[in-house]
Protein backbone atom coordinates (compact mmCIF):
# COMPACT_ATOMS: atom_id res chain seq x y z
CA UNK A 1 0.00 0.00 0.00
CA UNK A 2 1.21 3.58 -0.54
CA UNK A 3 2.77 5.42 2.36
CA UNK A 4 1.19 8.70 3.56
CA UNK A 5 3.45 10.66 1.20
CA UNK A 6 2.46 8.50 -1.76
CA UNK A 7 5.55 6.27 -1.90
CA UNK A 8 5.21 2.53 -2.26
CA UNK A 9 6.47 0.64 0.77
CA UNK A 10 9.15 -2.02 0.61
CA UNK A 11 6.71 -4.40 2.22
CA UNK A 12 4.26 -3.93 -0.65
CA UNK A 13 7.02 -4.66 -3.14
CA UNK A 14 8.02 -7.78 -1.24
CA UNK A 15 4.44 -9.01 -1.16
CA UNK A 16 4.13 -8.38 -4.90
CA UNK A 17 7.20 -10.54 -5.40
CA UNK A 18 5.59 -13.24 -3.30
CA UNK A 19 2.47 -13.08 -5.43
CA UNK A 20 4.62 -13.68 -8.51
CA UNK A 21 6.29 -16.65 -6.87
CA UNK A 22 9.64 -14.99 -6.18
CA UNK A 23 9.30 -15.41 -2.42
CA UNK A 24 6.92 -17.91 -0.75
CA UNK A 25 4.58 -16.32 1.76
CA UNK A 26 3.51 -19.63 3.22
CA UNK A 27 6.13 -22.29 3.66
CA UNK A 28 5.27 -25.62 2.14
CA UNK A 29 2.48 -24.31 -0.06
CA UNK A 30 -0.93 -22.86 0.67
CA UNK A 31 -2.22 -19.40 -0.07
CA UNK A 32 -2.45 -16.62 2.48
CA UNK A 33 -4.77 -13.69 1.95
CA UNK A 34 -1.90 -11.32 1.20
CA UNK A 35 -0.71 -13.52 -1.64
CA UNK A 36 -4.17 -14.36 -2.94
CA UNK A 37 -4.93 -10.73 -3.78
CA UNK A 38 -2.70 -10.77 -6.86
CA UNK A 39 -5.20 -12.87 -8.77
CA UNK A 40 -8.33 -11.26 -7.38
CA UNK A 41 -7.88 -7.67 -8.49
CA UNK A 42 -8.42 -6.49 -4.92
CA UNK A 43 -5.92 -4.55 -2.82
CA UNK A 44 -5.28 -5.84 0.67
CA UNK A 45 -4.26 -3.47 3.45
CA UNK A 46 -1.22 -5.02 5.15
CA UNK A 47 -1.60 -5.90 8.84
CA UNK A 48 0.06 -3.96 10.25
CA UNK A 49 1.10 -1.52 7.50
CA UNK A 50 4.89 -1.50 7.33
CA UNK A 51 6.52 1.48 5.71
CA UNK A 52 9.19 3.85 6.93
CA UNK A 53 8.28 5.52 10.20
CA UNK A 54 5.54 3.10 11.31
CA UNK A 55 5.50 1.76 14.84
CA UNK A 56 6.32 -1.87 15.57
CA UNK A 57 3.66 -4.46 16.35
CA UNK A 58 2.21 -3.76 19.78
CA UNK A 59 2.91 -5.82 22.86
CA UNK A 60 0.16 -7.60 24.79
CA UNK A 61 -0.09 -9.52 28.02
CA UNK A 62 1.39 -13.01 28.19
CA UNK A 63 -1.59 -14.30 30.17
CA UNK A 64 -1.51 -17.15 32.70
CA UNK A 65 -0.95 -20.09 30.35
CA UNK A 66 2.50 -19.63 28.80
CA UNK A 67 4.96 -22.52 29.32
CA UNK A 68 8.63 -22.60 28.33
CA UNK A 69 10.23 -25.61 26.62
CA UNK A 70 7.65 -25.97 23.83
CA UNK A 71 8.64 -28.43 21.08
CA UNK A 72 10.24 -27.27 17.84
CA UNK A 73 7.36 -27.74 15.38
CA UNK A 74 5.16 -25.67 13.08
CA UNK A 75 2.26 -28.14 12.83
CA UNK A 76 -0.07 -28.37 15.83
CA UNK A 77 -3.07 -29.66 13.87
CA UNK A 78 -2.80 -33.25 15.14
CA UNK A 79 -3.06 -32.20 18.79
CA UNK A 80 -6.84 -32.35 18.80
CA UNK A 81 -10.05 -31.91 16.78
CA UNK A 82 -11.20 -28.56 15.48
CA UNK A 83 -11.57 -26.34 12.43
CA UNK A 84 -8.29 -26.42 10.45
CA UNK A 85 -6.36 -23.15 10.47
CA UNK A 86 -3.13 -22.03 8.81
CA UNK A 87 -1.52 -18.70 9.65
CA UNK A 88 1.35 -17.34 7.58
CA UNK A 89 3.20 -14.10 7.14
CA UNK A 90 6.51 -12.30 7.41
CA UNK A 91 8.50 -10.74 10.22
CA UNK A 92 9.95 -7.33 9.32
CA UNK A 93 12.25 -4.82 10.99
CA UNK A 94 11.82 -1.05 11.15
CA UNK A 95 12.92 -0.56 7.52
CA UNK A 96 10.45 -3.19 6.27
CA UNK A 97 13.21 -5.65 5.52
CA UNK A 98 12.45 -9.29 6.39
CA UNK A 99 14.30 -10.86 9.30
CA UNK A 100 15.54 -14.44 9.09
CA UNK A 101 15.92 -16.68 12.14
CA UNK A 102 13.24 -15.04 14.28
CA UNK A 103 11.95 -17.33 17.03
CA UNK A 104 8.14 -17.56 17.15
CA UNK A 105 6.64 -19.46 20.09
CA UNK A 106 2.88 -20.09 19.69
CA UNK A 107 0.38 -21.34 22.26
CA UNK A 108 -3.44 -21.46 22.21
CA UNK A 109 -6.60 -23.01 23.58
CA UNK A 110 -8.05 -26.20 22.13
CA UNK A 111 -11.43 -26.45 20.42
CA UNK A 112 -13.17 -26.36 23.81
CA UNK A 113 -11.30 -23.27 25.01
CA UNK A 114 -8.97 -25.17 27.35
CA UNK A 115 -5.19 -24.83 27.61
CA UNK A 116 -2.97 -27.85 28.24
CA UNK A 117 -0.98 -26.93 31.35
CA UNK A 118 0.32 -30.44 31.97
CA UNK A 119 1.85 -31.06 28.54
CA UNK A 120 2.43 -29.25 25.26
CA UNK A 121 -0.82 -29.69 23.34
CA UNK A 122 -1.25 -26.76 20.93
CA UNK A 123 2.15 -25.38 21.83
CA UNK A 124 5.20 -25.13 19.60
CA UNK A 125 7.97 -22.87 18.36
CA UNK A 126 9.56 -22.30 14.97
CA UNK A 127 11.94 -19.90 13.19
CA UNK A 128 11.41 -17.64 10.19
CA UNK A 129 13.12 -18.79 7.01
CA UNK A 130 15.68 -16.88 4.93
CA UNK A 131 12.89 -14.65 3.55
CA UNK A 132 11.54 -13.84 7.02
CA UNK A 133 8.45 -16.01 6.46
CA UNK A 134 6.65 -18.27 8.91
CA UNK A 135 3.72 -20.69 8.73
CA UNK A 136 1.68 -22.22 11.54
CA UNK A 137 -0.69 -25.16 10.95
CA UNK A 138 -3.20 -25.58 13.76
CA UNK A 139 -6.93 -25.34 14.52
CA UNK A 140 -9.17 -22.38 15.28
CA UNK A 141 -8.92 -21.91 19.07
CA UNK A 142 -12.05 -22.26 21.15
CA UNK A 143 -13.57 -19.65 23.45
CA UNK A 144 -13.28 -19.44 27.19
CA UNK A 145 -14.98 -17.03 29.63
CA UNK A 146 -13.97 -13.40 29.36
CA UNK A 147 -11.91 -13.64 26.15
CA UNK A 148 -12.46 -13.47 22.43
CA UNK A 149 -10.83 -15.95 20.06
CA UNK A 150 -7.04 -15.45 19.85
CA UNK A 151 -3.57 -16.93 19.39
CA UNK A 152 -0.61 -16.18 21.67
CA UNK A 153 2.89 -15.69 20.30
CA UNK A 154 6.32 -14.63 21.53
CA UNK A 155 8.86 -13.40 18.98
CA UNK A 156 12.57 -12.75 19.29
CA UNK A 157 14.93 -11.66 16.54
CA UNK A 158 18.55 -12.75 16.99
CA UNK A 159 20.10 -10.75 19.80
CA UNK A 160 16.97 -8.65 20.38
CA UNK A 161 14.36 -8.45 23.18
CA UNK A 162 11.29 -10.70 23.23
CA UNK A 163 7.97 -9.34 21.95
CA UNK A 164 4.88 -10.97 23.48
CA UNK A 165 1.58 -10.35 21.72
CA UNK A 166 -1.71 -11.92 20.57
CA UNK A 167 -3.42 -12.34 17.18
CA UNK A 168 -7.17 -11.96 16.70
CA UNK A 169 -9.90 -13.06 14.32
CA UNK A 170 -12.13 -10.56 12.47
CA UNK A 171 -15.89 -10.69 12.88
CA UNK A 172 -15.86 -12.27 16.33
CA UNK A 173 -18.76 -10.98 18.49
CA UNK A 174 -16.57 -11.01 21.60
CA UNK A 175 -14.06 -8.62 20.05
CA UNK A 176 -16.30 -5.78 21.17
CA UNK A 177 -16.37 -6.88 24.84
CA UNK A 178 -12.85 -8.28 25.33
CA UNK A 179 -10.87 -5.64 27.26
CA UNK A 180 -7.54 -6.97 25.93
CA UNK A 181 -8.55 -7.07 22.25
CA UNK A 182 -6.82 -4.57 19.94
CA UNK A 183 -7.87 -4.16 16.31
CA UNK A 184 -4.26 -3.53 15.28
CA UNK A 185 -3.66 -7.24 15.88
CA UNK A 186 -6.45 -8.53 13.65
CA UNK A 187 -5.39 -11.18 11.17
CA UNK A 188 -6.70 -11.34 7.62
CA UNK A 189 -8.77 -14.54 7.60
CA UNK A 190 -10.69 -16.27 4.84
CA UNK A 191 -12.56 -19.53 4.49
CA UNK A 192 -10.67 -22.26 2.65
CA UNK A 193 -12.63 -25.45 2.17
CA UNK A 194 -13.46 -26.89 5.59
CA UNK A 195 -10.89 -24.68 7.29
CA UNK A 196 -9.57 -21.13 7.50
CA UNK A 197 -6.45 -19.37 6.26
CA UNK A 198 -5.03 -16.34 8.00
CA UNK A 199 -2.17 -13.95 7.44
CA UNK A 200 -0.39 -11.45 9.63
CA UNK A 201 2.91 -9.61 9.23
CA UNK A 202 4.80 -8.65 12.36
CA UNK A 203 7.00 -5.55 12.61
CA UNK A 204 9.70 -5.84 15.26
CA UNK A 205 11.60 -2.93 16.76
CA UNK A 206 14.82 -3.95 15.00
CA UNK A 207 16.88 -1.14 13.44
CA UNK A 208 17.64 -1.66 9.75
CA UNK A 209 19.25 0.33 6.96
CA UNK A 210 16.91 0.66 3.94
CA UNK A 211 18.25 -1.14 0.90
CA UNK A 212 20.66 -3.28 2.90
CA UNK A 213 19.77 -6.98 3.19
CA UNK A 214 19.57 -8.35 6.71
CA UNK A 215 22.32 -10.86 7.22
CA UNK A 216 22.44 -13.62 9.78
CA UNK A 217 25.09 -12.63 12.33
CA UNK A 218 28.30 -14.62 12.29
CA UNK A 219 29.02 -16.46 15.54
CA UNK A 220 31.88 -15.15 17.63
CA UNK A 221 34.73 -17.65 18.09
CA UNK A 222 34.37 -19.11 21.56
CA UNK A 223 37.76 -20.54 22.38
CA UNK A 224 35.97 -23.03 24.65
CA UNK A 225 36.98 -26.68 24.81
CA UNK A 226 35.20 -29.21 22.55
CA UNK A 227 32.42 -31.45 23.82
CA UNK A 228 30.48 -29.00 25.98
CA UNK A 229 30.80 -25.88 23.84
CA UNK A 230 27.81 -24.25 22.15
CA UNK A 231 27.63 -25.31 18.49
CA UNK A 232 25.47 -23.82 15.68
CA UNK A 233 23.26 -26.42 14.01
CA UNK A 234 23.02 -28.63 17.08
CA UNK A 235 19.62 -29.43 18.61
CA UNK A 236 19.39 -28.65 22.32
CA UNK A 237 16.80 -29.80 24.84
CA UNK A 238 15.66 -27.95 27.93
CA UNK A 239 18.18 -28.53 30.70
CA UNK A 240 21.17 -29.04 28.39
CA UNK A 241 24.32 -27.24 29.54
CA UNK A 242 26.94 -25.62 27.32
CA UNK A 243 29.93 -23.34 27.61
CA UNK A 244 30.39 -20.21 25.52
CA UNK A 245 33.26 -17.71 25.77
CA UNK A 246 34.26 -19.22 29.10
CA UNK A 247 30.81 -18.98 30.68
CA UNK A 248 28.30 -21.77 31.41
CA UNK A 249 24.67 -21.69 30.27
CA UNK A 250 21.63 -23.91 30.73
CA UNK A 251 19.04 -24.32 27.95
CA UNK A 252 15.57 -23.04 28.88
CA UNK A 253 13.69 -24.10 25.75
CA UNK A 254 14.32 -26.83 23.18
CA UNK A 255 15.59 -25.40 19.88
CA UNK A 256 18.10 -25.81 17.09
CA UNK A 257 21.06 -23.46 17.54
CA UNK A 258 21.94 -21.08 14.74
CA UNK A 259 24.35 -18.25 14.07
CA UNK A 260 23.10 -15.11 15.79
CA UNK A 261 21.52 -17.09 18.63
CA UNK A 262 24.65 -17.39 20.78
CA UNK A 263 23.70 -17.94 24.46
CA UNK A 264 24.50 -14.38 25.67
CA UNK A 265 22.22 -12.95 22.96
CA UNK A 266 19.06 -14.99 23.59
CA UNK A 267 17.94 -14.97 27.23
CA UNK A 268 14.68 -16.63 26.14
CA UNK A 269 16.70 -19.72 25.22
CA UNK A 270 19.74 -19.70 27.52
CA UNK A 271 20.31 -18.76 31.15
CA UNK A 272 23.78 -18.20 32.54
CA UNK A 273 24.54 -20.67 35.30
Amino acid sequence: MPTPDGRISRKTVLKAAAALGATPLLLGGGVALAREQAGSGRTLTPTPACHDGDEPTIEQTEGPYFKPDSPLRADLSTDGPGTPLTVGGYVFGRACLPIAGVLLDFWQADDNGAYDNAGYTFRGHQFTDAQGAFRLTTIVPGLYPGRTRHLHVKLQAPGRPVLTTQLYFPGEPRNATDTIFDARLLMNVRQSGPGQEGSYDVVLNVPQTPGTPTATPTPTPTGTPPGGSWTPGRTYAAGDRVTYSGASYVCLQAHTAMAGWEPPNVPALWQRS
Side-chain angles (χ1 to χ4, degrees):
M1 67 180 274
T3 64
D5 60 6
R7 295 181 292 114
I8 300 297
S9 72
R10 273 177 290 279
K11 180 179 176 184
T12 302
V13 173
L14 184 58
K15 283 184 173 289
L20 295 174
T23 306
L25 178 60
L26 291 183
L27 310 185
V31 181
L33 204 60
R35 185 174 182 176
E36 175 245 5
Q37 302 308 309
S40 68
R42 292 179 285 122
T43 300
L44 175 68
T45 300
T47 54
C50 175
H51 49 74
D52 295 351
D54 272 356
E55 293 299 313
T57 299
I58 64 170
E59 187 172 6
Q60 286 215 315
T61 179
E62 176 183 284
Y65 301 120
F66 173 71
K67 288 181 60 178
D69 311 328
S70 70
L72 176 63
R73 58 179 182 151
D75 188 347
L76 314 181
S77 61
T78 60
D79 284 4
T83 302
L85 171 69
T86 59
V87 178
Y90 289 103
V91 179
F92 295 94
R94 293 299 300 268
C96 298
L97 299 173
I99 307 174
V102 174
L103 170 69
L104 299 98
D105 194 344
F106 288 96
W107 71 103
Q108 66 172 85
D110 65 15
D111 190 49
N112 295 315
Y115 286 84
D116 177 16
N117 298 313
Y120 291 94
T121 301
F122 293 113
R123 300 174 184 269
H125 71 276
Q126 59 179 278
F127 295 88
T128 56
D129 70 359
Q131 288 76 42
F134 70 91
R135 181 176 186 257
L136 174 70
T137 304
T138 184
I139 66 165
V140 175
L143 294 166
Y144 65 89
R147 292 303 317 275
T148 190
R149 216 176 296 275
H150 62 280
L151 300 170
H152 293 272
V153 61
K154 287 180 177 285
L155 303 98
Q156 187 179 42
R160 303 295 299 180
V162 176
L163 170 71
T164 301
T165 193
Q166 302 181 34
L167 302 179
Y168 297 100
F169 294 75
E172 289 289 329
R174 291 194 186 181
N175 287 351
T177 58
D178 188 322
T179 57
I180 301 175
F181 169 80
D182 194 303
R184 290 172 291 180
L185 297 171
L186 278 169
M187 295 183 289
N188 291 310
V189 179
R190 71 164 188 169
Q191 195 69 27
S192 177
Q196 296 183 17
E197 290 182 346
S199 66
Y200 193 90
D201 297 319
V202 179
V203 181
L204 295 180
N205 189 15
V206 174
Q208 296 173 315
T209 301
T212 302
T214 54
T216 302
T218 302
T220 304
T222 65
T224 54
S229 60
W230 178 86
T231 305
R234 180 175 294 174
T235 298
Y236 291 102
D240 285 352
R241 293 181 179 274
V242 300
T243 55
Y244 183 87
S245 294
S248 297
Y249 295 85
V250 61
C251 180
L252 300 177
Q253 177 165 298
H255 68 284
T256 300
M258 63 176 63
W261 290 86
E262 294 83 359
N265 297 334
V266 279
L269 299 179
W270 295 100
Q271 182 180 68
R272 188 162 178 170
S273 60

